[in-house]
Amino acid sequence: MKRDLHQFQGPDTRYPNQGTAANTGSSTKDKMMMVKEEEDGGNMDELLAVLGYKVRSSEMAEVALKLEQLETMMGNVQEDGLSHLATDTVHYNPSELYSWLDNMLTEFNPPPPPEINNSFLTGASDYDLKAIPGNALYARSNHFAVDSSSSSNQACDNSQNKRLKSCSSPESMVTSTSPVVGTTVTTTTTTTTTTTESARSMVLVDSQENGVRLVHALMACAEAIQNNDLSIAEALVKQIGFLAVSQAGAMRKVATYFAEALARRIYRLSPPQTHIDHSLSDTLQMHFYETCPYLKFAHFTANQAILEAFEGKKRVHVIDFSMNQGLQWPALMQALALREGGPPVFRLTGIGPPAADNSDHLHEVGCKLAQLAEAIHVEFEYRGFVANSLADLDASMLELRPSETEAVAVNSVFELHKLLGRPGGIEKVLGVVKQIKPVIFTVVEQESSHNGPVFLDRFTESLHYYSTLFDSLEGVPSSQDKVMSEVYLGKQICNLVACEGPDRVERHETLSQWANRFGSSGFAPAHLGSNAFKQASMLLALFNGGEGYRVEENSGCLMLGWHTRPLITTSAWKLAAAH
């Protein structure tokens, strides 16, 4: 379809009598019609009339609804469904936009969408989509397409869900992109206000309804993938991209990352797992550290547990399973330097993956820490240990010393879940930890269940989890750190949704699941003290005034969440008495 807007700059010569009746007023019939229109509140909208569209003010709400329906249909149909409309016909000055839309909706008559089992969206489901941030309260719908025959019944209800936005220029009334499936087509219409108001308002279709469709499409696409209905999944993932652009803030970003992940799974384009990818993740994690309190909370609470376990020890040794850039250890070293009676000899073993350029980045981290230790007068020993996986470790490699001589702590931040996709991996690592015989074993993990056998369940849980995480980032001022933090989380989403087998390393589990695993491996919980809880709460005040963040204690562990949703958990463990 083409619209030649420049044709509307002057009167249309095909309708020579169109302008004369209003100018002369000689026809009694015309006057009666004008009076009747005024009595009915049916005056034509002036701004649309400039473009040649004749729309009564009383019909504005229904016209806006019909435009939205037409837009949705164009986004849902396959390309061959547009063939009968792909002509060179030019529509000059339609006499009635309302009637024209009715005709287009009737002519379009798209095929019914595939039947999708929406049983997981019922009120009795464990996956309540209302929990997703974005205030998307929905009513259940059985179809994604909109039936044009119901437009008159829905017009009144939908008119209550419109947002008003001021419009200062007629040029902004109609904007569109090329009518390709999956491409946004945004159409806005105007409504008249009282005659005393100089400002005009523009009726915009509320993104809330599209937000509901977006969540439904995401869930339906995941279900189609689980059922191996890839043709349906492919159509739905295109619709997701179409709907995502109508959203703003966290929902738009989350939907975009999940759409990419679903597309990768459909087309079997798994994201890479290389040394370069590990290096990138390391860099992105630094930005995540600077943007929000989650990693700082993890480091602080783990350090507090380690510091208390090292009380009175003259020689201490920390084995860090998640060395990365060593961001956790300057704070602990400073706390040790201030310890009553003087600092102990501090030994640090940092474990990390190989660098992309084969450089010894762990050695570089150690050099920086050594400079700090010298400045604060802490005797310091360091060794960097490169390993492709923690499952490759052996206790004999770590140069352990007798426990009477040296107290050992083992620390892991966001690392143990990566072992769950490798058969026997987590059991081997926990066995190595038992051989080390640490005085404390600190573990920080995501508080979510992303390792179940059913893809749809994992997808639903991850959609809730990452929606909450992205929502917590919305209060952060825009910066490079914030953008990179979102990319950091997006990579996790992509791995969780698009990958399977050993390639899927984002296999998060809940505290109760980890507690069962540690208990069966010979570990007992070491409760974090109330001091850690108080100081962690003070730490959160530095981020957004602490608003929205919440620390809670659970079975001696500390959880950090956003509003009512826990997101990460710090726990501490020691060898059970029998071991």
Side-chain angles (χ1 to χ4, degrees):
M1 286 180 293
K2 297 180 180 178
R3 273 196 199 110
D4 205 351
L5 297 183
H6 70 271
Q7 297 288 339
F8 305 126
Q9 295 177 357
D12 195 329
T13 56
R14 297 184 303 154
Y15 304 98
N17 297 325
Q18 183 174 320
T20 57
N23 294 332
T24 62
S26 59
S27 170
T28 303
K29 181 179 180 181
D30 288 340
K31 290 180 179 179
M32 294 176 62
M33 291 177 64
M34 291 173 63
V35 171
K36 186 177 186 302
E37 285 183 349
E38 290 178 359
E39 290 176 350
D40 295 339
N43 292 336
M44 297 302 173
D45 184 83
E46 297 174 5
L47 292 179
L48 285 179
V50 172
L51 295 177
Y53 294 101
K54 299 175 64 176
V55 182
R56 292 183 179 86
S57 300
S58 60
E59 297 174 345
M60 289 300 298
E62 290 191 58
V63 168
L65 177 63
K66 290 177 182 294
L67 285 169
E68 182 188 2
Q69 293 172 358
L70 182 60
E71 172 188 349
T72 302
M73 290 181 179
M74 292 182 68
N76 288 341
V77 298
Q78 300 296 327
E79 186 175 352
D80 55 1
L82 293 170
S83 58
H84 67 292
L85 299 176
T87 68
D88 292 329
T89 303
V90 178
H91 298 279
Y92 294 102
N93 194 18
S95 59
E96 288 285 351
L97 184 57
Y98 184 93
S99 302
W100 179 82
L101 284 169
D102 263 343
N103 292 335
M104 286 298 297
L105 290 171
T106 302
E107 182 179 0
F108 220 92
N109 193 23
E115 290 294 330
I116 302 295
N117 180 9
N118 286 340
S119 60
F120 52 81
L121 296 175
T122 61
S125 172
D126 292 334
Y127 308 109
D128 183 7
L129 297 181
K130 296 180 183 178
I132 294 178
N135 301 322
L137 301 179
Y138 65 91
R140 182 172 177 179
S141 172
N142 293 327
H143 298 287
F144 294 106
V146 180
D147 186 357
S148 61
S149 63
S150 64
S151 60
S152 59
N153 296 329
Q154 297 174 356
C156 180
D157 293 337
N158 281 273
S159 66
Q160 302 300 320
N161 293 326
K162 308 297 177 183
R163 270 203 295 251
L164 295 181
K165 180 179 179 181
S166 61
C167 173
S168 59
S169 172
E171 286 83 10
S172 63
M173 287 192 302
V174 180
T175 58
S176 65
T177 58
S178 56
V180 180
V181 175
T183 304
T184 303
V185 180
T186 306
T187 306
T188 57
T189 58
T190 60
T191 181
T192 56
T193 59
T194 62
T195 57
T196 59
E197 293 178 345
S198 59
R200 291 245 168 213
S201 296
M202 186 163 39
V203 178
L204 296 177
V205 175
D206 198 328
S207 63
Q208 183 179 8
E209 184 177 350
N210 279 342
V212 175
R213 295 178 186 172
L214 177 58
V215 174
H216 282 222
L218 283 164
M219 297 298 299
C221 184
E223 185 180 35
I225 289 175
Q226 178 172 289
N227 296 333
N228 204 31
D229 295 330
L230 297 186
S231 59
I232 295 177
E234 184 178 5
L236 287 168
V237 82
K238 291 178 181 179
Q239 185 186 50
I240 292 168
F242 172 73
L243 293 171
V245 296
S246 69
Q247 302 301 297
M251 192 60 191
R252 177 174 181 167
K253 297 169 187 175
V254 169
T256 300
Y257 282 117
F258 272 95
E260 177 192 353
L262 288 168
R264 284 184 175 274
R265 189 177 181 101
I266 292 169
Y267 299 114
R268 294 178 172 83
L269 301 173
S270 298
Q273 293 293 323
T274 63
H275 296 329
I276 294 177
D277 191 61
H278 286 304
S279 178
L280 175 61
S281 297
D282 192 16
T283 302
L284 293 175
Q285 191 181 78
M286 291 182 63
H287 292 286
F288 186 69
Y289 178 88
E290 296 295 336
T291 303
C292 50
Y294 299 109
L295 270 175
K296 289 184 174 69
F297 171 88
H299 293 169
F300 175 84
T301 50
N303 281 350
Q304 185 66 31
I306 293 171
L307 186 63
E308 293 175 3
F310 282 167
E311 185 176 359
K313 306 296 183 182
K314 297 298 182 181
R315 299 183 68 90
V316 297
H317 180 193
V318 173
I319 300 173
D320 186 11
F321 285 170
S322 46
M323 189 61 186
N324 298 321
Q325 297 296 323
L327 299 175
Q328 180 172 348
W329 305 119
L332 179 64
M333 293 167 66
Q334 291 172 341
L336 291 173
L338 299 174
R339 195 176 71 170
E340 186 177 355
V345 177
F346 180 49
R347 181 179 171 210
L348 177 62
T349 299
I351 301 169
D357 56 0
N358 293 321
S359 63
D360 194 352
H361 70 289
L362 291 177
H363 176 73
E364 296 172 2
V365 172
C367 290
K368 294 178 182 178
L369 293 174
Q371 292 175 2
L372 173 63
E374 184 178 4
I376 61 178
H377 309 292
V378 172
E379 188 175 344
F380 180 68
E381 299 177 27
Y382 175 80
R383 183 189 178 195
F385 197 96
V386 176
N388 288 311
S389 170
L390 292 177
D392 297 331
L393 288 179
D394 190 274
S396 61
M397 303 175 181
L398 302 174
E399 299 180 357
L400 299 173
R401 297 167 185 171
S403 57
E404 298 81 8
T405 304
E406 185 177 74
V408 182
V410 177
N411 179 75
S412 174
V413 177
F414 300 154
E415 290 294 334
L416 294 186
H417 67 264
K418 299 176 183 178
L419 297 166
L420 299 178
R422 180 168 176 170
I426 187 66
E427 290 78 11
K428 181 179 179 182
V429 170
L430 293 180
V432 170
V433 175
K434 287 175 62 178
Q435 295 177 44
I436 295 172
K437 298 180 180 179
V439 294
I440 195 78
F441 177 28
T442 51
V443 177
V444 181
E445 284 292 336
Q446 290 88 342
E447 183 61 23
S448 196
S449 180
H450 298 156
N451 194 35
V454 180
F455 172 72
L456 183 59
D457 293 345
R458 297 198 310 266
F459 181 88
T460 305
E461 176 68 13
S462 64
L463 182 59
H464 283 270
Y465 181 82
Y466 285 100
S467 294
T468 306
L469 260 178
F470 272 82
D471 189 50
S472 72
L473 294 179
E474 284 302 290
V476 178
S478 297
S479 65
Q480 182 183 11
D481 284 333
K482 180 181 177 180
V483 173
M484 293 298 101
S485 297
E486 292 167 350
V487 175
Y488 171 74
L489 297 176
K491 285 175 61 63
Q492 294 181 12
I493 293 172
C494 197
N495 181 269
L496 197 154
V497 174
C499 298
E500 283 297 346
D503 290 335
R504 180 162 62 86
V505 297
E506 301 299 338
R507 296 173 175 265
H508 313 139
E509 292 191 343
T510 62
L511 173 61
S512 59
Q513 291 173 301
W514 286 113
N516 291 335
R517 183 174 282 107
F518 290 146
S520 62
S521 298
F523 292 91
H527 289 195
L528 299 173
S530 60
N531 189 43
F533 179 89
K534 294 176 182 178
Q535 295 192 41
S537 300
M538 293 173 60
L539 172 70
L540 296 181
L542 302 175
F543 292 86
N544 199 29
E547 183 178 354
Y549 296 107
R550 180 179 177 183
V551 182
E552 63 180 67
E553 189 271 345
N554 187 325
S555 302
C557 307
L558 291 182
M559 293 180 172
L560 173 59
W562 178 249
H563 295 292
T564 60
R565 169 81 192 229
L567 294 173
I568 67 170
T569 300
T570 300
S571 59
W573 306 86
K574 58 186 179 182
L575 289 178
H579 296 267

